[in-house]
Amino acid sequence: MADVGADIPEEFAWAGANSETGQVRDLQGLENLALSFPDSTSVRLRLLNAQLEAEAYEDLLGTLSWLNERGYVFSSTARAQIPKLVGEEFAERATNLLREHPDPLERSKVVAMVPAAAGLVESVLMDLEGGNIAVSSVSGKNLWGKGPRGNWSDHTLEGAGNLSGIVYDPGRALVLAASGKIDGSDASQPYFSGLVGIRFPGDTPRFFPAPVGSNLSDLHRSPDGTIYASDPLGGGIYRLLPGAEIIEILVAPGTFRSPQGLVTSNDGKGLYVSDYRYGLAAVDLDSGDVHRVPAKGPFPLDGIYGLWRRGDELIAVQNGTSPMRIVAFQLSPDGKSVVSQRNLELSHRDWTEPLSGYLGPDALYYVGNGQWDRWVAGQPAQDKPFVPTQIRRLPLD
């Protein structure tokens, strides 16, 4: 595959998305934002609200049509309110553009249940040959593990922050977890920013520091041994090179709005990054340049929480769209665009929100009932105790 960043017009580059575009509120500014990020339902919804406020109802119908074509489903409350808000002249056309909720597509099965004591479980690491499972806990700031015939047990990593992304690094023979402060807790309290690694349960942790103030979350280990990490709060991308002890900046903080999943391209020259609000981007690993990966069809590319590559497909947990889904995006032969999609799972009735996971050869293992609603500003939510976390297996073929 060719370099994913080559020959894409510069006007499609991310440019201060975190620090600038999140502040756009005016109608003209949001129209321009929709031109810059044309595959984002999040941007279109912001535009819709501005059009409603400005009583620009013909334009609003165009936005509803765009969302309808991409399968977006409003809540039942919004479907009842929108026709009333646009007035009698536009009500019928608006109603016809508001989709009903689709039937669920349910293909995954529960393969493990993490005890409720693990709290807010964020990600999964599978040892498919050995039958071992490890998960990271944001709330507990620890790892939980289970052997093929054993019970779940927790492993405290003294000095770690909120733990989220988790990978195995064979070069260092370590399980590595991203550590930061991503739960909205008191920002004045100190925390470790970087990666924390252990070789086996009870091992003394190793710490790989990231730049001060960063909050690493999703992780990806590339075939060459580099560990890539995203900062969903600061908007930067980081990497730990093979043999290194300190994490370095790859893409400057403030570039992205909220980068989440990330995975290297087939040729190893680029890094795909999902910006939760705006869509898919590609980072040229030689230059660090960032470019948009456009959709060549009516499918949204925002709201992607977890991202993996399987051949020429990107597997995405898309929990920031409505309805929530897990989807396979087909890349163009040169890897510069998304040309088609297929839903792998849609609106599962046992989901709260699907989170991150582990991609095996023929299945995705993922957190099915994310519990962020039970952990608010670093504290347990009142009257909503944690429940066991489902680890689900979704076949990919």
Side-chain angles (χ1 to χ4, degrees), residues 1-10 12-14 37 237 250-251 255-256 259 261-267 269-275 278-294 301 307 314 331 334-338:
M1 186 182 79
D3 185 343
V4 297
D7 301 323
I8 297 179
E10 284 299 321
F12 294 145
W14 262 254
F37 301 103
I237 304 296
L250 173 63
V251 178
T255 301
F256 290 101
L262 63 178
V263 65
T264 42
S265 61
N266 192 40
D267 62 4
K269 295 180 179 180
L271 184 74
Y272 295 108
V273 178
S274 64
D275 191 315
Y278 293 147
L280 279 174
V283 179
D284 185 309
L285 292 176
D286 289 331
S287 66
D289 291 341
V290 180
H291 303 273
R292 187 171 65 84
V293 178
L301 299 179
L307 187 70
L314 295 177
L331 293 166
D334 62 7
K336 297 178 183 178
S337 61
V338 174

Side-chain angles (χ1 to χ4, degrees), residues 75-89:
S75 68
S76 57
T77 300
R79 292 200 303 274
Q81 288 181 339
I82 289 173
K84 298 176 182 178
L85 293 171
V86 300
E88 184 176 345
E89 180 183 354

Side-chain angles (χ1 to χ4, degrees), residues 37-242:
F37 301 103
D39 304 313
S40 169
T41 59
S42 176
V43 170
R44 297 286 169 159
L45 291 170
R46 290 169 61 186
L47 177 59
L48 184 79
N49 284 324
Q51 290 166 338
L52 186 62
E53 184 175 347
E55 299 183 358
Y57 297 141
E58 286 288 357
D59 292 337
L60 181 147
L61 291 174
T63 300
L64 284 180
S65 179
W66 185 96
L67 292 164
N68 175 282
E69 189 178 12
R70 285 153 183 79
Y72 189 85
V73 178
F74 287 87
S75 68
S76 57
T77 300
R79 292 200 303 274
Q81 288 181 339
I82 289 173
K84 298 176 182 178
L85 293 171
V86 300
E88 184 176 345
E89 180 183 354
F90 301 93
E92 182 177 357
R93 282 189 286 168
T95 299
N96 292 335
L97 292 171
L98 298 172
R99 284 176 174 257
E100 297 290 330
H101 210 282
D103 292 333
L105 172 62
E106 300 175 342
R107 300 178 59 244
S108 63
K109 303 293 184 184
V110 175
V111 295
M113 294 291 287
V114 188
L120 174 51
V121 171
E122 174 70 10
S123 194
V124 184
L125 177 63
M126 303 292 296
D127 170 15
L128 297 177
E129 291 185 6
N132 303 299
I133 307 175
V135 302
S136 57
S137 173
V138 171
S139 57
K141 301 180 180 179
N142 59 359
L143 300 178
W144 284 69
K146 179 182 181 296
R149 292 179 296 275
N151 296 319
W152 286 95
S153 58
D154 65 306
H155 308 290
T156 299
L157 304 181
E158 196 66 41
N162 303 134
L163 298 183
S164 47
I166 179 172
V167 296
Y168 179 66
D169 179 16
R172 297 178 176 86
L174 293 174
V175 173
L176 293 170
S179 172
K181 188 186 289 288
I182 62 171
D183 65 351
S185 56
D186 186 353
S188 67
Q189 295 300 312
Y191 66 96
F192 174 72
S193 172
L195 301 179
V196 185
I198 58 169
R199 186 160 303 196
F200 50 81
D203 185 22
T204 300
R206 288 182 61 186
F207 292 85
F208 301 86
V212 174
S214 59
N215 285 278
L216 306 190
S217 182
D218 283 66
L219 299 180
H220 166 65
R221 182 187 179 276
S222 71
D224 71 2
T226 302
I227 309 296
Y228 294 96
S230 59
D231 178 355
L233 303 182
I237 304 296
Y238 300 81
R239 65 182 171 189
L240 178 67
L241 297 172

Side-chain angles (χ1 to χ4, degrees), residues 287-337:
S287 66
D289 291 341
V290 180
H291 303 273
R292 187 171 65 84
V293 178
K296 299 298 185 179
F299 29 88
L301 299 179
D302 64 318
I304 297 174
Y305 198 82
L307 187 70
W308 305 264
R309 184 178 56 79
R310 185 175 186 246
D312 290 329
E313 284 188 321
L314 295 177
I315 309 300
V317 171
Q318 209 167 12
N319 66 12
T321 59
S322 178
M324 292 186 288
R325 61 185 185 160
I326 300 178
V327 65
F329 291 117
Q330 178 67 48
L331 293 166
S332 60
D334 62 7
K336 297 178 183 178
S337 61

